[in-house]
Amino acid sequence: MSSQNEATHIRQLIAENQNKAAAERLYEWFEGKSAGRQDAALALLNRITALEHNVLGGLIAQADADLERNRITKALLELSKQLDATDEVTDAPAPMSKAWIFGVLAIAVAGMLYLSLYKGGAPARPAEFDVTVQLHGPGGASEPITAGKIILTLGDYNLPPKDINSNGQVIFDEIPGKYFDQPLRVAPIGIRYKVLSQTAQTARESQSITFRLAPLPDTTLVRGIVFLPGAGNKPAVGAELDFDAGRGQGVTDEKGRFQVAVPAAAGKSINVRIDYKGQNRYNRNVTISATELLPITLNP
């Protein structure tokens, strides 16, 4: 298959939200052609797998997941433009989201604490234990979160959701002792908040843990169709869309359709840039909607 046909096929996979399949195709394509780009494809494949795991486990806020997915999509599109390249890769890999970096740091800190405790001869785990979770807003204890539910996760163990009480607390009791040293997380449900910080990483450190939360920005899933100029409303296949200077990226499918998660409220006017066959063919503001299709006709 020619590089042009392969690039078209990969962009079609991206347009259909099959980023994992696109990354696998890129990895196979660059084998024996460009070791650096094959490594870049493998890194993207690992990021996609990690994102899927964290979304399924409720370990990442929706807005952060959308941002990471958009960044992966952009990196896949850039790599798909380099199928004929064999030179050394000099560009730095796409930056990971802050949420991802904080997650890695949190896991590293938890591991160091775990090792330090056992080196010093830490007490044995209890048969069962309780954890009291306190939740407040970015302003501190004077802003308790008193609505919604949370899921408590210890390692790979998820406890059933519980309601937040009027004091901003949730008590999880009779937790099996084998999870006493496991990294501990919470995931809000029914409230659009993300976790900013927590006072302890495991129940062994503390069985009363305070979490500081912040409201999530609005996210709108924008759907639409991109048409070629002229009569007949022919679809623009493989057009690359960029919303609000990199905050949301996507590519159209064989019918010119697209869907892009944009971190902005419905009804807001934001800039959209569209490149088609290597040329910019659209660059103007549009009003985004969560319910109505956005029709766009490219400039001649």
Side-chain angles (χ1 to χ4, degrees):
M1 181 180 290
S2 69
S3 60
Q4 184 176 0
N5 290 339
E6 181 68 10
T8 299
H9 182 72
I10 289 171
R11 293 183 186 184
Q12 180 65 31
L13 291 172
I14 296 171
E16 296 171 354
N17 292 321
Q18 298 186 51
N19 282 352
K20 190 171 186 178
E24 290 170 347
R25 295 280 301 210
L26 286 165
Y27 178 81
E28 293 171 1
W29 175 268
F30 286 118
E31 185 173 5
K33 299 183 180 73
S34 173
R37 289 176 178 83
Q38 188 181 32
D39 289 343
L42 180 60
L44 288 170
L45 186 58
N46 289 336
R47 285 174 65 182
I48 293 165
T49 302
L51 178 61
E52 290 175 349
H53 172 77
N54 284 292
V55 169
L56 289 174
L59 304 178
I60 183 172
Q62 185 61 49
D64 291 328
D66 289 339
L67 182 59
E68 175 68 359
R69 193 174 290 109
N70 287 336
R71 284 174 168 164
I72 291 170
T73 296
K74 184 176 182 180
L76 288 170
L77 288 170
E78 288 299 319
L79 203 54
S80 72
K81 299 176 183 177
Q82 304 174 39
L83 299 188
D84 290 324
T86 57
D87 56 310
E88 291 292 330
V89 179
T90 57
D91 293 337
M96 299 180 77
S97 67
K98 290 182 179 179
W100 234 249
I101 295 171
F102 292 155
V104 171
L105 288 174
I107 292 171
V109 170
M112 293 172 63
L113 287 167
Y114 178 86
L115 291 173
S116 64
L117 284 169
Y118 272 88
K119 281 184 178 179
R125 301 186 188 107
E128 292 181 338
F129 63 94
D130 300 342
V131 171
T132 299
V133 173
Q134 181 76 48
L135 303 141
H136 62 65
S142 62
E143 297 181 10
I145 306 296
T146 59
K149 300 174 180 284
I150 61 168
I151 292 177
L152 183 67
T153 300
L154 301 100
D156 58 358
Y157 178 63
N158 294 323
L159 280 78
K162 281 196 171 186
D163 291 313
I164 305 170
N165 67 24
S166 58
N167 296 319
Q169 290 183 335
V170 183
I171 299 174
F172 294 88
D173 55 5
E174 299 180 353
I175 304 170
K178 63 181 180 179
Y179 300 108
F180 196 54
D181 305 295
Q182 294 296 306
L184 187 150
R185 306 280 185 275
V186 298
I189 300 176
I191 51 174
R192 291 186 54 77
Y193 279 83
K194 64 179 178 181
V195 177
L196 295 179
S197 64
Q198 60 193 78
T199 56
Q201 302 299 322
T202 69
R204 182 180 290 277
E205 290 179 59
S206 175
Q207 290 174 242
S208 179
I209 304 177
T210 298
F211 290 81
R212 187 164 64 98
L213 310 182
L216 282 172
D218 289 319
T219 298
T220 303
L221 184 62
V222 181
R223 298 179 176 88
I225 305 175
V226 179
F227 299 104
L228 294 173
N233 284 337
K234 294 182 179 179
V237 180
E240 300 175 17
L241 299 97
D242 187 318
F243 285 81
D244 204 15
R247 298 184 70 200
Q249 294 87 25
V251 60
T252 57
D253 64 14
E254 76 282 355
K255 295 184 179 180
R257 300 171 301 190
F258 67 87
Q259 60 176 18
V260 178
V262 179
K268 184 178 179 181
S269 176
I270 62 175
N271 178 262
V272 180
R273 176 188 172 94
I274 303 178
D275 291 344
Y276 181 67
K277 293 187 176 180
Q279 294 183 342
N280 177 246
R281 300 286 294 276
Y282 191 90
N283 191 349
R284 65 185 66 176
N285 281 9
V286 300
T287 300
I288 61 173
S289 170
T291 57
E292 298 181 5
L293 288 177
L294 177 63
I296 297 176
T297 301
L298 297 179
N299 300 322

